[in-house]
């Protein structure tokens, strides 16, 4: 059976959607819809691996959906939905819990970071999270997965799971007429100048939803004054901007701001340095503020407009979930048959 090309990606509804999510993931989602059939999922099952207030979870799910739409994802042509409306994600995740090895999960750096010192007290879901992520992708036999750099290890695990399933069930897959391999090995698409946007307060740390300092990130919902204040306070070093990219090597904060500018202006970092090399940060920050405000504030405004009608957003998710189920259900029936479940 030939495998069609399909893009799948997800964003957690855990609040504080920021410039890293936007530049590292959402802008890529928008670009890919020109060439691929795409599925963009609000991964609410992932969110509850850490306790979420139910009302906030509902709001945050709508907010991520609004961000997708405001950024330009066409929910009529592509599939925009929330994970929990398609039961196949949880079903396939269970099968993958039985395919993936404990040793594989023990290597996941994100679990170690998120669980922190009190690992005994982390939820079992947080530990098994990468198996659910593999299920998200493989339930639709997706072939391409646009993500930021921080998801690379999870994507490698998804490929290992796909491979092991194909091997473990090779005889059954063949006997049932599905060729040599049922799952594709999904390819990560980690592209563009902003695959790892760093904190504005510390250029060695990733910009993150969970950083306690709101000054560390630009949120998609921030207004112009807030953006201006955050960029003004962003950490820099005393030297002016360099002329070449090589000279950014040991200057994480400068490199990050140049990367953000490049991504927002859709030019290369080299071009940014061509314009601002030799300039003081004060001048560069002014230009960066203007550019960020021009690009981000309209998205925040559109998100607020969409969020004023939550029923309309819920309808988008319901329609998208129906389309997703139409792909998931036949695939899940085949997977159950391959595994040996009577259906
Ligand atoms: P999440 O919700 O943490 O982040 C959503 C997307 O944003 C990217 N991202 C960044 N990119 C650049 N710089 C940053 N500072 C930055 N911070 C976040 C992430 O890489 C991601 O692409 N496990 C995933 C969600 C997920 C998923 C999936 C993704 C669940 N199932 C299946 C792809 C396919 C996550 O927690 O992303």
């Amino acid at each position: 059976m030939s495998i069609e090309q399909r893009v799948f990606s997800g964003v957690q509804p855990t609040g504080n959607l920021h410039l890293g999510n936007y530049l590292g993931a959402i802008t890529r989602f928008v670009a890919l819809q020109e060439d691929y059939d795409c599925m963009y999922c609000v991964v609410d099952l992932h969110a509850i691996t850490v306790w979420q207030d139910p009302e906030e979870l509902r709001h945050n799910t709508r907010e991520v959906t609004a961000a997708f739409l405001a950024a330009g994802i066409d929910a009529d042509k592509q599939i925009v939905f929330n994970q929990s409306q398609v039961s196949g994600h949880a079903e396939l995740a269970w099968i993958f819990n039985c395919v993936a090895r404990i040793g594989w999960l023990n290597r996941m750096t994100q679990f170690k970071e998120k669980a922190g010192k009190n690992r005994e007290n982390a939820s079992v879901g947080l530990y098994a999270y990468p198996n659910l992520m593999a299920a998200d992708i493989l339930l639709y036999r997706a072939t391409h997965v646009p993500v930021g750099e921080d998801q690379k290890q999870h994507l490698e695990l998804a490929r290992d799971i796909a491979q092991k399933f194909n091997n473990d069930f090779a005889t059954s897959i063949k006997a049932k007429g599905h060729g040599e391999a049922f799952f594709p090995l999904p390819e990560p698409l980690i592209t563009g100048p902003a695959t790892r946007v760093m904190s504005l307060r510390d250029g060695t740390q990733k910009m993150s939803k969970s950083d306690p300092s709101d000054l560390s990130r630009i949120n998609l919902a921030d207004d112009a004054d807030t953006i201006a204040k955050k960029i003004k306070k962003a950490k820099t070093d005393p030297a002016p901007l360099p002329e070449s990219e090589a000279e950014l090597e040991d200057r994480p904060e400068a490199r990050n701001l140049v990367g953000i500018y490049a991504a927002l202006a859709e030019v290369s970092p080299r071009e940014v340095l061509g314009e601002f090399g030799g300039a003081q940060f004060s001048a560069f920050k002014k230009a960066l503020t203007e550019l960020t405000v021009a690009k981000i504030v309209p998205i925040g405004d559109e998100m607020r407009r969409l969020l004023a009608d939550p029923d309309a957003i819920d309808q988008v998710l319901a329609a998208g979930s129906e389309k997703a189920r139409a792909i998931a259900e036949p695939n899940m029936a085949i997977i159950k048959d391959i595994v040996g479940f009577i259906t």
Side-chain angles (χ1 to χ4, degrees), residues 210-227:
S210 54
D211 192 316
S213 167
D214 198 50
L215 288 174
S216 69
R217 62 181 162 261
I218 290 169
N219 300 309
L220 294 187
D222 284 345
D223 62 20
D225 289 347
T226 310
I227 292 173

Side-chain angles (χ1 to χ4, degrees), residues 61 106 114 116 136 207 212 218 231 241 247 262 297 307 337 342:
T61 300
N106 282 345
K114 285 200 176 168
D136 299 339
M207 184 177 285
I218 290 169
I231 294 179
L241 281 165
E247 294 167 84
V297 171
L307 283 165
D337 193 33
I342 293 171

Side-chain angles (χ1 to χ4, degrees), residues 12 20-21 129 133 136 147-148 150-151 195 197 206-207 209:
Q12 288 200 60
N21 301 127
Y129 175 118
M133 183 162 157
D136 299 339
V147 282
D150 62 339
Q151 296 299 317
T195 56
V197 177
K206 176 183 86 164
M207 184 177 285
K209 291 172 186 168

Side-chain angles (χ1 to χ4, degrees), residues 301-318:
D301 286 345
E302 178 63 4
M303 283 168 65
R304 279 180 284 276
R305 191 187 70 76
L306 291 166
L307 283 165
D309 187 355
D311 290 345
I313 295 187
D314 294 0
Q315 276 165 26
V316 168
L317 292 173

Side-chain angles (χ1 to χ4, degrees), residues 8-14 17-26 29 39 41-43 46 64 83 89 110 114 129-130 132-137 144-152 154-155 189 194-199 205-209 256:
F8 182 98
S9 198
V11 175
Q12 288 200 60
T14 40
L17 265 188
H18 54 68
L19 199 59
N21 301 127
Y22 179 68
L23 295 175
I26 300 173
F29 299 177
M39 306 189 67
C41 183
V42 189
V43 290
H46 277 92
V64 173
Q83 193 183 21
H89 292 257
Q110 201 157 84
K114 285 200 176 168
Y129 175 118
L132 176 60
M133 183 162 157
D136 299 339
I137 299 162
H144 296 82
V145 186
V147 282
E149 177 74 39
D150 62 339
Q151 296 299 317
K152 192 166 175 228
H154 290 158
L155 256 290
L189 298 178
T195 56
R196 190 171 174 81
V197 177
M198 308 309 276
S199 157
Q205 298 295 317
K206 176 183 86 164
M207 184 177 285
S208 146
K209 291 172 186 168
N256 188 38

